[in-house]
Amino acid sequence: MKQHPISGAVCTLITVLFSLFFTANDANADTFTFRADRMSGVRATGRTVTVLTGNAEVRSNNIVLRADRIEIHGDDNEFVDCFGNVWGIEEEKNIIFQTDRLRYDRNRKIARLEGNATLEDRENELVVKSNVIEYDDEAEITVMQVFVRLFKDDMVCRSNYAVYRRQEQLLDLSGFPVVFKGDDEFRADRIRVDLETDDVVMEGAVEGTIRN
């Protein structure tokens, strides 16, 4: 029986699949899985990029990421780049991501969201919106930059820069920060909010309006 040779494109894709599978399971003992409607392997300048399109999904540790297009690359497939309608969840902490673009570093466990970015900490009932959000899963620290807005209960915070320390439940605001608590308004050069007690500490050029 005559056997038909496998095309070069199919061979390349199979090679990429096996390379990705074995490397992903060896890297930091992480269980790394993916799925999509279409998959392709691109080899350029000595590096291989695996491209997932159409209902693309990647799972790594407790992180699940979905997007219109996902690219996986790096020496150990440690970088996951997501584009278009990006949605993600940190399942253990119940933290939800939504954004236009996202890069996830599997080794450092850091996710960087860009564009119309939202992070929702459902366990602590906190919603964060910003142009740039960087979430460190191990340190449980979130850094936000440019048009930062945070919502919790009847509190709304705005600034150009903010740091959320999840373990300590502390929020540090700078860059023209303002905090609204119900009908009250607070402004200063720097503002710290204790999210457990709702206490507000202000430093530098302090202004406030309290309505009884």
Side-chain angles (χ1 to χ4, degrees), residues 65-71 80-88 97-104 110-119 130-135 145:
L65 298 172
R66 296 171 185 158
D68 294 337
R69 174 187 176 96
I70 297 179
E71 298 179 359
V80 180
D81 289 330
C82 304
F83 306 92
N85 298 309
V86 182
W87 180 93
F97 310 100
Q98 294 186 66
T99 187
D100 298 324
R101 300 179 302 280
L102 181 148
R103 163 168 281 202
Y104 180 55
I110 292 177
R112 181 179 174 88
L113 293 67
E114 297 181 352
N116 187 21
T118 300
L119 181 147
S130 181
N131 282 16
V132 178
I133 299 175
E134 188 167 282
Y135 170 67
Q145 302 177 62

Side-chain angles (χ1 to χ4, degrees), residues 120-137:
E120 181 180 357
D121 184 348
R122 290 187 171 178
E123 182 178 313
N124 293 302
E125 300 180 335
L126 176 69
V127 176
V128 173
K129 296 186 178 184
S130 181
N131 282 16
V132 178
I133 299 175
E134 188 167 282
Y135 170 67
D136 187 325
D137 189 33

Side-chain angles (χ1 to χ4, degrees), residues 8-85:
V10 175
C11 286
T12 300
L13 180 55
I14 291 173
T15 301
V16 169
L17 278 167
F18 275 92
S19 174
L20 178 60
F21 176 80
F22 286 112
T23 306
N25 281 278
D26 288 340
N28 296 333
D30 178 18
T31 301
F32 181 41
T33 62
F34 59 90
R35 66 181 182 183
D37 294 337
R38 294 174 297 280
M39 175 179 175
S40 61
V42 178
R43 193 178 294 274
T45 63
R47 67 187 184 99
T48 300
V49 179
T50 302
V51 180
L52 309 174
T53 54
N55 299 306
E57 177 181 291
V58 166
R59 290 175 175 263
S60 180
N61 292 306
N62 296 312
I63 298 285
V64 180
L65 298 172
R66 296 171 185 158
D68 294 337
R69 174 187 176 96
I70 297 179
E71 298 179 359
I72 305 166
H73 57 96
D75 293 337
D76 295 317
N77 300 307
E78 70 265 36
F79 297 113
V80 180
D81 289 330
C82 304
F83 306 92
N85 298 309

